[in-house]
Amino acid sequence: MWKHLYNPNTLPPHLKEAVQECRDNPASHACFRFGKAFTKDGDVAADERVAYSIFSTLCDKHENARACDELSAVIRHTEEGLKQRRQAFKSAMFRFFSSDAARQNAKRSCELGYDRGCLHLALHKKTGGEEAEAAIARAATLARDACEGGDPRHCLVLADALRMGAAA
């Protein structure tokens, strides 16, 4: 899977294990870790093509909410995204960059139950009014349960949602 996009001989051992686990179970967290390795924050050379391919497969075929959210981020940070932002900045019609594909993936991530995806949807330029409020409320609801369960990452999302206006 995705072998045509990377050289397996150059992968660190922990990613080789993730690739094997991913082959055995394409919906596993190992596939997400493998995709994350190719993002700008990853532990191998950033390659948006690989990250995009992995996250779009996980999002579309396996309804992995975190992958949908990461896909949104990859789209925003790709070279093509930078070109679009430059054009949008120069255009009199657009003051800020807005990508429909990034918004759609953030929305999908939220619908699949990923709290951070809901926040990203609420922050998107084209999301406003009641839809943004609903996304913030959903983020708070999703994050609250995980936070109370002891996961500090979700406590941060909850704090952001509360700061953005979610009901305590």
Side-chain angles (χ1 to χ4, degrees), residues 4-72:
H4 63 287
L5 295 174
Y6 67 92
N7 181 349
N9 298 325
T10 62
L11 294 177
H14 72 283
L15 287 181
K16 287 181 182 177
E17 291 171 15
V19 169
Q20 185 56 49
E21 188 179 331
C22 189
R23 279 192 197 117
D24 297 341
N25 179 8
S28 73
H29 184 68
C31 295
F32 179 84
R33 282 194 328 266
F34 184 58
K36 189 73 173 162
F38 290 97
T39 65
K40 65 181 183 64
D41 300 324
D43 54 0
V44 297
D47 188 337
E48 288 90 5
R49 293 173 315 122
V50 178
Y52 180 90
S53 179
I54 292 169
F55 292 136
S56 66
T57 300
L58 294 176
C59 178
D60 295 339
K61 290 185 180 175
H62 302 289
E63 295 192 335
N64 182 314
R66 287 188 69 195
C68 295
D69 188 55
E70 265 319 303
L71 181 59
S72 175

Side-chain angles (χ1 to χ4, degrees), residues 120-138:
H120 291 155
L121 175 61
L123 291 171
H124 196 279
K125 179 186 176 232
K126 288 189 176 180
T127 302
E130 291 179 11
E131 185 181 19
E133 289 174 19
I136 293 167
R138 180 154 168 76

Side-chain angles (χ1 to χ4, degrees), residues 102-139:
R103 182 182 182 285
Q104 288 170 343
N105 285 296
K107 185 174 184 174
R108 181 119 190 259
S109 175
C110 182
E111 289 169 351
L112 291 170
Y114 187 54
D115 53 6
R116 188 168 285 132
C118 296
L119 286 184
H120 291 155
L121 175 61
L123 291 171
H124 196 279
K125 179 186 176 232
K126 288 189 176 180
T127 302
E130 291 179 11
E131 185 181 19
E133 289 174 19
I136 293 167
R138 180 154 168 76

